Amino acid sequence: MHSLKLPRWLVAFVALVYAFLHIPLLVLVVFSFNASKYGVEWTGFTTHWYARLWERQDIIDGLKASVVVGVSSTLISTLLGTLMALAIARHEFRGRRLMEAFLYIPIVTPEIVVGISLLILFVLLNFPLGLVSIVIAHVAFNISFVVVVVLARLQGMDRNLEEAAMILGADEFTTFRRITVPLLWPGILSGAMLAFTMSFDDYVITSFVTGTGSSTLPIVVYTMVRKNIEPSINAISTIILIITTILIFAADRLGRDKPLVHSAD
Amino acid sequence: MSDIPPVVEFTGVHKTFGAYRAVVDINFQVQKGEFFSILGPSGCGKTTTLRLLAGFEEPDDNGGTVRIAGEVVNKKRPYERNLAMVFQNYALFPHLSVERNIAFGLEMRKVPSAEIPPRVKKAMEMVRLDPGQFARRMPAQLSGGQRQRVALARALVLEPTILLLDEPLGAIDLKLRKEMQLELKQLNKQLGTTFVYVTHDQEEALTMSDRIAVMDNARVAQLGTPAEIYECPRTRFVAKFIGESNFFEGVAQSQGPDGWRVDGSGGRFEVPAHPSITQGSKVAIAVRPEWLDVAPPDAVPPGENAIRGTVTDVIYLGETLHVLVAVADGEGERRVTVAVRNEGQLSRPIRWSKGDAAVVCWKPADCQVLEDA
């Protein structure tokens, strides 16, 4: 380890960037404890907006819908995306390059176009709009992100590791489970976290494919902003922020190696 | 030879990747306990040969057979072959500690869990890695030499009958490499394990091997003990790749009692009889620098071949001196390297210096007739 002294201007610059990134979040957290109902001036400390959340059935329902959609679309797109990344990285087949190129189309297409086209598709198929259609839509745009992230990790991985496991006696499945997956794990995890964030945040595409009684949190919030904004939105956002932070730290602690003898000592 | 089949046997093995012929008609046998090296330049097919043995590649259809202990294993997966291997880049599992890396193969082979920790410890001691200090470390926290030892321990802990090594010493520094060469050789003898060792380093192969298969251009160019390979290279490639060689060419003129008289572009010389030589055929021979001598033009030892030339340089190498002599070669010139024992340049300096007229000479028997004249 050697300590390199950072130039002062660089320290200042980094501080500025972090301030720029995090002050809005700080404002949000502070104002979730603001007594004033209308927002921009500080009138006193309260936890009223947190208590109020329990009375707002629409927010609770929105949060539930968002979690259901987020978790299921993340699970499905992470599974499919990881398998697809493995196929692209490990096998030569016709149209492999084309397939890789097509991955980027959903990423660069404007959300509104994706939303409209999905709506047309659902209508054409006579598919009922609701939670299921939202999950399908989210899986559709999440897969690309997962594939790109996992693929990057796979391409940096040494093929010899899997061969080493096989010559040591591990069959294909055991090698996949004991070597490939643990090594890919950081990639899979960041792909999944990205997918969950994208899903949890999405307003535009969701607004096209949602049906009655299946509003996710962004839809609820947007509707509230148009009608009557109140600081309980800040409260729910703060809760989400805290949960997300905990998840990130938890994810970081996963996948560490255990010692060989742990039952004896 | 007894009835026990060879530990490893390749019979007419071919492997192609698309249009690329990686190995062509490979034949060899490895006996139990042997230190067998596959030596060649990069791209010669040596790694493909090892991968065919490990089971990472399959021979072509009708592309010969690979046998382990007499059994055909062409279609067997790597984990069905009971081998162990040390990879060039060590291939340690980065997410597992040293002890878990070493235990991995034992776990896979269903060794009772109570036996695993003592065997891991023993393997670490065998490669001289202190278990107390290193067992819990992650591969990223080790030096190159330590990783090398972990990779070796991970293979040896399985007590394999065959150990495959793919240029395992390529990435460590010279001093440590020499040390590891001796250690590997010692382990081979002490454990009775058969070693199949791939390398591009001719010195390494000569130092460690019982037998060497020299590969060139997807084929085995020559198979033999280090002495056979060095002293009787059969082709120009082998003569050039292993050690240094001087080449002389000519046309066979007449047969005498001990061999053939050859008319070369730089002068006449005699070579021993060889089945590939007939009247008028082209002849090429390889002569090692230490088989040659330099003499004044008027003092050629009787009965020796002699070719005239001019000394162009004397190179001091410590143990030996190389005298470089330019000899006529048709229209042009070629340089011949003669190795002379250093008997002390301060007390008894050699008499040669640049520009001296000299002859290079050698006994007719001290040469190797090449098959690819």
Side-chain angles (χ1 to χ4, degrees):
Chain A
M1 295 291 132
H2 61 136
S3 66
L4 201 73
K5 208 164 153 46
L6 285 173
R8 217 171 271 174
W9 64 268
L10 194 59
V11 175
F13 181 74
V14 169
L16 221 67
V17 170
Y18 268 74
F20 181 72
L21 285 175
H22 293 119
I23 283 176
L25 294 178
L26 197 65
V27 170
L28 176 92
V29 174
V30 170
F31 273 72
S32 70
F33 296 104
N34 188 2
S36 158
K37 187 170 172 158
Y38 297 104
V40 289
E41 69 200 74
W42 181 261
T43 54
F45 181 86
T46 178
T47 52
H48 170 73
W49 306 116
Y50 287 86
R52 172 109 172 98
L53 281 177
W54 299 111
E55 297 157 26
R56 291 293 303 248
Q57 196 54 46
D58 54 345
I59 290 182
I60 302 281
D61 286 347
L63 186 62
K64 271 189 199 156
S66 277
V67 169
V68 168
V69 169
V71 169
S72 37
S73 72
T74 299
L75 287 178
I76 297 168
S77 55
T78 304
L79 182 70
L80 296 181
T82 303
L83 293 177
M84 200 162 138
L86 280 166
I88 291 174
R90 291 298 163 77
H91 300 279
E92 273 299 333
F93 52 87
R94 272 170 67 103
R96 192 179 67 99
R97 294 227 154 267
L98 199 69
M99 191 164 154
E100 212 179 332
F102 267 102
L103 272 179
Y104 291 90
I105 291 182
I107 297 177
V108 296
T109 310
E111 285 198 303
I112 196 145
V113 177
V114 177
I116 292 170
S117 51
L118 280 167
L119 178 62
I120 295 172
L121 183 70
F122 286 135
V123 171
L124 273 177
L125 294 176
N126 222 349
F127 196 91
L129 297 180
L131 281 184
V132 178
S133 61
I134 299 174
V135 170
I136 292 173
H138 285 201
V139 169
F141 69 71
N142 270 338
I143 285 183
S144 293
F145 288 97
V146 176
V147 176
V148 170
V149 173
V150 176
L151 205 53
R153 179 89 192 169
L154 256 177
Q155 277 155 354
M157 204 171 118
D158 178 8
R159 287 300 297 272
N160 274 349
L161 294 173
E162 284 157 316
E163 291 180 344
M166 293 232 261
I167 203 122
L168 288 168
D171 60 22
E172 282 84 358
F173 179 70
T174 312
T175 302
F176 184 72
R177 195 169 56 84
R178 295 278 309 262
I179 305 298
T180 317
V181 173
L183 291 176
L184 273 188
W185 192 238
I188 296 172
L189 211 61
S190 40
M193 275 168 56
L194 187 65
F196 186 80
T197 319
M198 303 280 298
S199 166
F200 204 77
D201 268 3
D202 184 73
Y203 171 75
V204 180
I205 295 172
T206 313
S207 69
F208 280 98
V209 296
T210 184
T212 41
S214 61
S215 298
T216 58
L217 194 60
I219 306 257
V220 174
V221 171
Y222 192 72
T223 319
M224 278 171 68
V225 171
R226 287 203 304 190
K227 285 191 272 180
N228 53 334
I229 190 161
E230 68 169 46
S232 27
I233 293 172
N234 296 347
I236 188 83
S237 305
T238 303
I239 291 173
I240 291 166
L241 192 69
I242 290 165
I243 293 173
T244 318
T245 312
I246 291 170
L247 282 180
I248 290 170
F249 278 103
D252 188 51
R253 292 194 64 87
L254 279 175
R256 296 204 180 159
D257 188 35
K258 298 175 275 297
L260 182 59
V261 201
H262 45 87
S263 46
D265 43 37
Chain B
M1 284 289 128
S2 58
D3 298 341
I4 307 164
V7 175
V8 174
E9 183 173 18
F10 274 57
T11 319
V13 174
H14 292 255
K15 177 69 188 171
T16 46
F17 296 104
Y20 176 68
R21 304 172 82 190
V23 300
V24 176
D25 194 23
I26 301 292
N27 294 283
F28 64 80
Q29 299 183 344
V30 184
Q31 305 301 333
K32 188 172 181 338
E34 209 176 359
F35 198 121
F36 186 85
S37 292
I38 305 173
L39 171 66
S42 64
C44 72
K46 59 186 188 297
T47 299
T48 304
T49 305
L50 194 72
R51 291 175 61 82
L52 283 160
L53 178 54
F56 301 139
E57 314 287 353
E58 264 177 40
D60 294 342
D61 295 334
N62 303 317
T65 51
V66 177
R67 286 193 180 84
I68 294 177
E71 188 192 355
V72 177
V73 294
N74 283 26
K75 300 277 174 195
K76 284 216 166 177
R77 305 295 297 144
Y79 46 83
E80 296 168 325
R81 298 192 179 200
N82 255 314
L83 301 169
M85 178 160 171
V86 179
F87 289 79
Q88 184 167 16
N89 62 358
Y90 316 139
L92 299 181
F93 306 129
H95 61 300
L96 300 180
S97 63
V98 166
E99 58 179 1
R100 288 207 77 94
N101 260 284
I102 299 172
F104 190 88
L106 296 173
E107 288 168 16
M108 291 302 119
R109 294 180 189 195
K110 306 279 182 288
V111 171
S113 56
E115 285 176 30
I116 293 178
R119 279 179 71 172
V120 168
K121 191 160 169 272
K122 204 179 117 209
M124 289 187 71
E125 280 160 359
M126 199 187 296
V127 299
R128 301 201 281 123
L129 267 180
D130 176 16
Q133 195 182 350
F134 292 105
R136 298 284 168 91
R137 290 223 194 146
M138 300 305 279
Q141 297 168 300
L142 303 176
S143 71
Q146 289 162 350
R147 276 178 217 181
Q148 157 82 70
R149 285 169 192 277
V150 175
L152 196 58
R154 186 175 69 176
L156 290 175
V157 75
L158 301 172
E159 294 167 12
T161 47
I162 309 171
L163 177 62
L164 315 184
L165 302 107
D166 185 9
E167 307 219 13
L169 307 183
I172 55 181
D173 62 72
L174 188 70
K175 191 170 166 289
L176 197 56
R177 195 153 74 218
K178 297 269 175 213
E179 218 178 285
M180 285 302 291
Q181 284 176 3
L182 294 179
E183 262 179 68
L184 283 176
K185 178 91 193 158
Q186 223 169 10
L187 281 170
N188 164 250
K189 294 300 161 223
Q190 177 191 326
L191 303 173
T193 305
T194 308
F195 279 38
V196 180
Y197 191 97
V198 162
T199 180
H200 67 267
D201 184 332
Q202 44 109 2
E203 204 188 314
E204 196 167 283
L206 291 176
T207 310
M208 298 197 285
S209 317
D210 294 318
R211 281 192 309 143
I212 303 172
V214 184
M215 285 190 72
D216 173 36
N217 201 10
R219 295 167 189 272
V220 175
Q222 190 168 348
L223 189 64
T225 63
E228 285 166 355
I229 298 275
Y230 184 81
E231 291 165 29
C232 303
R234 289 209 326 237
T235 64
R236 189 176 286 260
F237 169 81
V238 176
K240 225 189 278 188
F241 190 72
I242 290 117
E244 257 189 282
S245 283
N246 298 295
F247 297 99
F248 297 96
E249 291 97 6
V251 177
Q253 287 301 335
S254 57
Q255 193 167 17
D258 300 321
W260 287 84
R261 177 172 286 266
V262 177
D263 259 357
S265 50
R268 289 192 158 185
F269 57 89
E270 283 179 27
V271 302
H274 191 270
S276 72
I277 304 177
T278 53
Q279 182 85 38
S281 69
K282 285 172 91 181
V283 177
I285 59 166
V287 188
R288 297 290 186 192
E290 64 271 24
W291 301 346
L292 288 171
D293 207 349
V294 250
D298 53 1
V300 177
E304 292 205 1
N305 290 320
I307 291 181
R308 284 176 173 279
T310 311
V311 174
T312 59
D313 217 340
V314 177
I315 300 166
Y316 189 87
L317 294 170
E319 220 173 310
T320 54
L321 296 158
H322 277 183
V323 181
L324 306 185
V325 182
V327 300
D329 180 25
E331 301 294 293
E333 271 188 348
R334 77 158 63 185
R335 215 159 60 176
V336 174
T337 306
V338 182
V340 181
R341 232 177 81 87
N342 181 8
E343 287 170 357
Q345 291 312 296
L346 298 177
S347 50
R348 300 175 55 196
I350 59 162
R351 50 166 293 184
W352 302 105
S353 59
K354 196 176 166 179
D356 290 352
V359 292
V360 293
C361 46
W362 72 96
K363 295 194 186 77
D366 283 348
C367 77
Q368 179 62 27
V369 178
L370 301 174
E371 288 168 9
D372 52 349

